[in-house]
Amino acid sequence: MAGQSRKWMILVATIWIQAFTGTNFDFSAYSSDLKSVLGISQVQLNYLATASDLGKVFGWSSGLALMYFPLWVVLFMAAFMGLFGYGLQWLVIRNVITLPYMLVFLLCLLAGCSICWFNTVCFVLCIRNFPANRALALSLTVSFNGVSAAIYALAGNAINPSSNELYLLLNALIPLITSFAALIPILRQPSLDPLPPDGVKRDSLIFLILNFIAVLTGAYLLLFGSDGSNSTTARLLFGGALVLLFFPLCIPGMIYARDWFKRTIHSSFQLEGSGFLLVDDEDLELHKEYLTREASSNGNGIDSPLLDNGSSYNSLSRLKSSDEKEGCCERVLGQDQLVMLGEEHSVRLLVRRLDFWLYYIAYFCGGTIGLVYSNNLGQIAQSLGKSSSTTTLLTLYSSFSFFGRLLSAAPDYIRTKVYFARTGWLATALLPTPIALFLLAAYDNSTALHAGTALMGLSSGFIFAAAVSVTSELFGPNSVGVNHNILITNIPIGSLVYGFLAALIYDANVSSGTGKIIADSVVCMGRDCYFLTFVWWGCLSVVGLACSVLLFLRTRPVYDRFERNRISSSQLY
């Protein structure tokens, strides 16, 4: 029981780490001041935003570090990267030191790399301590990464609401302080035995309670995260946010009260243990066994070698059930189709899959646009004459991103009642992005700006959190570390391309006479500054939505086959 309590302490520690290390989400809060101090153009400012995202390209270095150093050492290496990267930027923006533009670019890159290292530490902790509920642990902890901007906005208002450069100082110090707070639980990691079935169900119930607490936290930050009416109120609100973040520490007590919760709540939800995949590893093995039996019963002489990585590549046509149609559309959708969920893909096989590139484009034209939008929020608000609303918009985006990440766990909770392929959920999550962008292009009032920001946060948050599980289901859980890092290369590419497009349109409008001198920096004022940007982004997001729908149509048969085999196996065993 003590070991079980300690694993929940580790989960709370990962929640703290994630909540305080999403420091790239508050770039818009100080980007205008950084632009003014450095005397750079909008294009050059976009390169600094891209530098933070480029840290994801070097995310693999954290996995390499874990091969040679203990987990807590990697945690503090990440913390000191952030301290150095953000701390020196704070000194630059305070005019304490002067650094060339290229060195500031490298500092942004270092700070972005620290975020990836923090994420890797959290992923490893969740996977090690919650093998039967990895998807639930990952979605919960990753969700708190989305509220970082709201928490930092509260902290900034509590200390000095008129100081935008304060965000850089907080970005440098708070993750380091959090690392010290998380050190003891990490050092006392328990050695856990496999959980019995009733233990898996009990953990699922606790995750349900934690998600409820998370919803309360998100609602609190959404309502009060940008309230800076006075410093006393802001400090009380920030203290309330910290209380909500510490509230999960009562989980060890909930473990001892599990019998009461099981009688009153658990029976009505009928939760099952959820693995890193849609179901746990045992269900996956039974699924593979059923596929082998099905292939053998079709008289094609296909046996276990079908399940090898290479031999199953073009085997779908031999696994067609008798009730499937062979029309023109079906042949197009069925070309190079996946045979089963959880099949391991090497890098060589991955890049040959049409499904991977559909997935890549859907992410590139969906979640990545949402991230670039958040990076430009400061300039968007400024161009519309709403600079004072920047903190409110950041809080709104952050809070709805948080709710979107929480919703990514919905397939695991309602699977026994409503079954829907996770790629279908992904397509549904992409729908708000084009709606938000065309809304922003059509109207330039505060209502449209707030509604569009909320929709962008909700959509991108869901995609960011669901992507790990989708990658593991489609291309193999054991290969997810490599394959998912290949997938998220679209983030720095998209950050560069989309940000560069927005910056070119922005600077072109400045040159055409809509520029205005503010704090020794030329800024664009008016609706035209981002109108074409929203139109272009909206059109590209429609392309991403179309690719996600096509991916869903192509993968729906394999998800349906997986679910039929799971139900059959549960009846037999």
Side-chain angles (χ1 to χ4, degrees):
M1 186 62 70
Q4 293 298 316
S5 298
R6 286 203 299 269
K7 80 174 185 181
W8 293 107
M9 291 288 293
I10 290 174
L11 184 71
V12 175
T14 61
I15 288 175
W16 295 343
I17 293 171
Q18 288 285 293
F20 291 110
T21 58
T23 48
N24 56 334
F25 287 108
D26 61 14
F27 178 78
S28 294
Y30 58 85
S31 59
S32 296
D33 291 346
L34 190 62
K35 176 183 177 182
S36 176
V37 169
L38 295 177
I40 56 179
S41 67
Q42 186 67 20
V43 172
Q44 290 174 305
L45 182 66
N46 170 67
Y47 290 149
L48 295 183
T50 301
S52 179
D53 296 326
L54 277 173
K56 295 177 176 61
V57 176
F58 302 99
W60 55 268
S61 59
S62 58
L64 185 64
L66 283 171
M67 296 174 60
Y68 299 99
F69 300 102
L71 198 69
W72 67 271
V73 173
V74 176
L75 175 69
F76 277 96
M77 290 171 71
F80 280 104
M81 283 184 197
L83 178 67
F84 188 71
Y86 287 117
L88 288 182
Q89 288 183 71
W90 177 73
L91 293 176
V92 169
I93 207 170
R94 293 283 296 176
N95 291 314
V96 176
I97 61 174
T98 302
L99 295 177
Y101 174 80
M102 184 52 64
L103 189 53
V104 176
F105 179 90
L106 293 177
L107 291 175
C108 291
L109 180 65
L110 183 64
C113 191
S114 73
I115 299 171
C116 290
W117 281 49
F118 277 123
N119 290 340
T120 299
V121 169
C122 292
F123 294 161
V124 170
L125 287 171
C126 289
I127 291 171
R128 284 182 183 175
N129 292 279
F130 297 93
N133 290 285
R134 291 178 227 178
L136 297 180
L138 287 168
S139 65
L140 178 67
T141 56
V142 170
S143 297
F144 278 89
N145 193 252
V147 298
S148 292
I151 292 175
Y152 278 97
L154 268 180
N157 289 334
I159 299 172
N160 186 359
S162 63
S163 175
N164 291 329
E165 66 269 15
L166 178 63
Y167 282 86
L168 281 168
L169 182 61
L170 295 176
N171 288 350
L173 296 178
I174 290 182
L176 180 61
I177 296 171
T178 306
S179 299
F180 279 107
L183 180 60
I184 293 178
I186 291 175
L187 290 176
R188 299 186 65 204
Q189 284 187 75
S191 56
L192 298 175
D193 297 326
L195 286 175
D198 62 328
V200 175
K201 292 182 179 180
R202 179 203 64 212
D203 283 5
S204 298
L205 171 61
I206 295 175
F207 274 111
L208 179 65
I209 298 171
L210 283 172
N211 275 275
F212 178 73
I213 296 173
V215 170
L216 290 179
T217 305
Y220 177 89
L221 291 171
L222 176 62
L223 293 173
F224 306 113
S226 58
D227 191 340
S229 54
N230 59 74
S231 58
T232 303
T233 302
R235 287 166 189 164
L236 290 174
L237 292 174
F238 181 59
L242 293 179
V243 169
L244 286 172
L245 288 175
F246 278 85
F247 190 70
L249 286 173
C250 65
I251 287 300
M254 293 180 184
I255 294 177
Y256 290 101
R258 65 185 183 276
D259 292 336
W260 181 85
F261 282 108
K262 184 177 181 180
R263 288 194 305 268
T264 57
I265 299 177
H266 190 265
S267 59
S268 62
F269 284 93
Q270 297 180 356
L271 297 176
E272 296 184 4
S274 173
F276 196 51
L277 300 174
L278 190 65
V279 291
D280 56 32
D281 294 339
E282 293 182 1
D283 281 346
L284 178 59
E285 292 303 319
L286 288 171
H287 171 60
K288 292 179 180 180
E289 181 181 348
Y290 266 85
L291 279 180
T292 306
R293 292 177 184 175
E294 179 184 353
S296 300
S297 65
N298 286 338
N300 292 316
I302 305 173
D303 49 18
S304 58
L306 171 68
L307 302 178
D308 292 338
N309 290 346
S311 60
S312 62
Y313 184 62
N314 292 313
S315 302
L316 179 66
S317 60
R318 293 178 287 180
L319 288 175
K320 292 279 187 182
S321 58
S322 60
D323 60 340
E324 289 186 9
K325 298 180 181 180
E326 291 293 338
C328 178
C329 293
E330 284 76 9
R331 284 197 298 270
V332 172
L333 291 175
Q335 183 181 5
D336 185 31
Q337 204 170 2
L338 288 171
V339 177
M340 66 177 182
L341 292 183
E343 179 184 357
E344 299 297 337
H345 284 63
S346 63
V347 175
R348 191 174 186 179
L349 179 59
L350 182 77
V351 297
R352 292 165 57 195
R353 282 285 190 192
L354 175 60
D355 292 308
F356 170 74
W357 292 111
L358 290 173
Y359 183 30
Y360 191 94
I361 295 172
Y363 198 120
F364 179 76
C365 297
T368 300
I369 289 181
L371 180 61
V372 179
Y373 174 81
S374 71
N375 289 339
N376 283 268
L377 261 179
Q379 280 67 50
I380 292 171
Q382 188 181 54
S383 68
L384 296 175
K386 305 181 188 304
S387 297
S388 60
S389 301
T390 300
T391 301
T392 302
L393 292 171
L394 278 174
T395 300
L396 191 66
Y397 179 89
S398 176
S399 299
F400 274 87
S401 175
F402 172 73
F403 288 126
R405 291 166 190 249
L406 281 181
L407 284 174
S408 69
D412 298 280
Y413 279 113
I414 66 174
R415 177 170 156 263
T416 57
K417 296 183 180 294
V418 179
Y419 174 74
F420 195 47
R422 203 184 296 269
T423 48
W425 289 101
L426 184 71
T428 304
L430 280 165
L431 184 59
T433 298
I435 294 175
L437 290 168
F438 289 130
L439 178 67
L440 290 165
Y443 304 97
D444 62 349
N445 54 52
S446 296
T447 302
L449 183 59
H450 285 76
T453 300
L455 288 173
M456 293 291 286
L458 187 70
S459 178
S460 59
F462 189 105
I463 295 166
F464 293 150
V468 179
S469 294
V470 173
T471 304
S472 65
E473 288 172 4
L474 296 183
F475 309 116
N478 296 330
S479 308
V480 70
V482 174
N483 293 343
H484 193 66
N485 277 322
I486 294 174
L487 171 72
I488 62 175
T489 56
N490 77 83
I491 294 179
I493 295 172
S495 180
L496 177 62
V497 174
Y498 298 138
F500 186 72
L501 173 65
L504 284 179
I505 295 173
Y506 184 96
D507 285 341
N509 280 282
V510 170
S511 302
S512 65
T514 58
K516 183 178 179 182
I517 304 296
I518 297 180
D520 298 328
S521 178
V522 179
V523 300
C524 181
M525 299 297 295
R527 177 185 177 186
D528 291 339
C529 298
Y530 280 92
F531 172 76
L532 285 178
T533 298
F534 292 146
V535 172
W536 275 107
W537 285 358
C539 293
L540 289 168
S541 67
V542 171
V543 174
L545 177 62
C547 288
S548 68
V549 171
L550 186 56
L551 176 66
F552 165 61
L553 294 176
R554 285 175 53 84
T555 56
R556 182 173 58 179
V558 73
Y559 273 97
D560 290 343
R561 186 183 301 118
F562 186 94
E563 183 68 5
R564 289 196 303 268
N565 292 342
R566 187 193 67 82
I567 294 174
S568 299
S569 66
S570 64
Q571 293 173 348
L572 288 176
Y573 297 95

